[in-house]
Amino acid sequence: SQEVLCFTRIVPLDLHATPHRCREWALAVALGATCTLDFSAAVTVVVAGALGTAKGLEAKKRGCPVTKVAWLEACAAQGKRVDPGMYAW
């Protein structure tokens, strides 16, 4: 199934207009994910650069996994979707 990743505290503010220039965003797209800066019910995983962001807290309330960037890197290294729970905040 298609992953929809919401990024929080990862894409620098000066890249919000062009998030594809962010390394982590580009990596996720290369792995086949759809990326967004806005949390919604469609999001399957929140990738967070810090603990306790508003998007991360909302995701946890809805039972959506919140991971560290290391999860993306592990997926890339293994060439498959890794359990996000292993990299949870």
Side-chain angles (χ1 to χ4, degrees):
S1 66
Q2 176 73 40
E3 293 287 349
V4 179
L5 307 184
C6 175
F7 286 84
T8 179
R9 299 263 177 94
I10 292 175
V11 178
L13 287 174
D14 62 338
L15 290 184
H16 275 204
T18 56
H20 60 277
R21 293 175 54 207
C22 173
R23 183 186 71 83
E24 293 84 358
W25 185 289
L27 175 60
V29 169
L31 292 171
T34 297
C35 301
T36 181
L37 293 172
D38 303 307
F39 183 76
S40 71
V43 171
T44 57
V45 178
V46 171
V47 183
L51 182 61
T53 68
K55 290 181 243 184
L57 293 171
E58 182 63 26
K60 284 192 173 191
K61 269 195 245 173
R62 296 187 190 200
C64 178
V66 181
T67 73
K68 300 171 183 168
V69 172
W71 173 70
L72 268 182
E73 293 161 352
C75 291
Q78 296 184 37
K80 65 178 185 179
R81 184 186 191 275
V82 175
D83 177 6
M86 295 171 57
Y87 297 89
W89 274 107

